[in-house]
Amino acid sequence: MIIAVDGPAASGKGTLAEGLAKHYGLPHLDTGLLYRAVGRAVEAYEDKPEFEQRAIAAAQTLDAADIEPEFLVTAKVGNLASKVAVIGAVRHALFDFQREFAEQDGGAVLDGRDIGTKICPDADVKLFIEADSKARMERRARQFEARGQQVDRYALYHQIEERDARDMANPNGGFYQAADAHLLDTTLLGIEAALRAAVAIIDEVMERKSKQ
Ligand code: C5P
């Protein structure tokens, strides 16, 4: 079973995807980490003319085994990730790894922005996770604070809005809700309630499919 989980920054899709992977005993790939790893690798070139070429080279040589999430989950790296994510050749270089992960025996859970539209258009179940901007900012702020990082909520709110705007305008993206994706708004839901709602959707879809 392939489960695609998409949604904007800090919508809760990563936590939800992790919970779903545990619930169904499937491997999980947070595809945002791939873009974050590429962004971090080219941080020194952010305002330089060679940024794009360096980002392409970093994506082509990225070794998933070297990804260190603890250095990647910062607002700065998230912003860099969205800058490398608009480069078509970067997306192309990361495509095969994501596709192979999804197609492993038994299936997988992948979360990101384009899983249901581009990476796994044939996924068994697609979820699109939403939450309003303030709720997303607050969740991300608490996540950073739990890691001991200082948070300026006003700046964070604007960083998330800026990243969303860049993502939505990404000409190579596919960052929209797939026509056959199920919308789950988590604004008013805690982690457990969101997980229960997602499991209910998935079980219903799979049951319907088994009868076809
Ligand atoms: O999901 P996360 O916030 O970690 O993603 C960081 C950035 O990576 C996103 O803002 C987006 O620009 C990019 N991304 C992407 N495609 C994906 C996952 C993430 O372009 N499948």
Side-chain angles (χ1 to χ4, degrees):
M1 169 167 70
I2 299 177
I3 303 174
V5 184
D6 288 305
S11 56
K13 63 186 185 310
T15 309
L16 194 60
E18 219 175 281
L20 289 172
K22 223 180 246 164
H23 181 85
Y24 293 105
L26 294 170
H28 166 227
L29 179 65
D30 171 353
T31 64
L33 288 178
L34 305 176
Y35 291 91
R36 286 173 180 265
V38 173
R40 181 166 182 256
V42 296
E43 184 170 358
Y45 302 96
E46 190 174 2
D47 298 314
K48 306 230 162 76
E50 64 265 42
F51 181 74
E52 187 167 324
Q53 283 320 310
R54 294 274 180 176
I56 295 168
Q60 286 169 341
T61 54
L62 183 71
D63 185 342
D66 293 339
I67 288 179
E68 299 170 298
E70 63 273 29
F71 298 117
L72 301 176
V73 188
T74 64
K76 170 79 189 157
V77 175
N79 203 37
L80 281 160
S82 71
K83 289 187 178 174
V84 302
V86 297
I87 304 167
V90 166
R91 306 197 73 78
H92 181 74
L94 299 178
F95 182 89
D96 286 347
F97 176 77
Q98 296 175 79
R99 190 76 210 151
E100 278 162 26
F101 190 94
E103 285 180 343
Q104 61 188 291
D105 284 348
V109 182
L110 286 85
D111 76 88
R113 299 287 190 294
D114 60 345
I115 309 303
T117 53
K118 300 238 167 137
I119 306 294
C120 304
D122 47 359
D124 295 287
V125 191
K126 299 178 186 178
L127 299 175
F128 193 84
I129 313 303
E130 258 298 5
D132 83 30
S133 306
K134 284 201 190 109
R136 293 193 283 127
M137 179 280 288
E138 191 53 39
R139 277 180 200 160
R140 192 44 56 94
R142 291 189 186 166
Q143 199 182 4
F144 289 157
E145 283 168 347
R147 292 199 172 99
Q149 297 176 26
Q150 287 240 320
V151 178
D152 172 344
R153 282 174 164 68
Y154 181 78
L156 182 61
Y157 182 81
H158 287 286
Q159 276 163 357
I160 289 177
E161 294 259 290
E162 187 194 326
R163 188 145 69 89
D164 280 349
R166 191 179 300 117
D167 283 346
M168 296 313 288
N170 185 340
N172 298 307
F175 296 174
Y176 49 86
Q177 184 182 344
D180 53 349
H182 299 261
L183 180 67
L184 178 58
D185 190 320
T186 65
T187 306
L188 300 174
L189 302 179
I191 294 169
E192 290 304 321
L195 186 59
R196 275 198 304 276
V199 166
I201 293 170
I202 294 166
D203 288 350
E204 205 231 298
V205 171
M206 294 311 284
E207 195 187 330
R208 206 175 340 115
K209 284 194 172 186
S210 73
K211 288 183 183 153
Q212 280 168 3

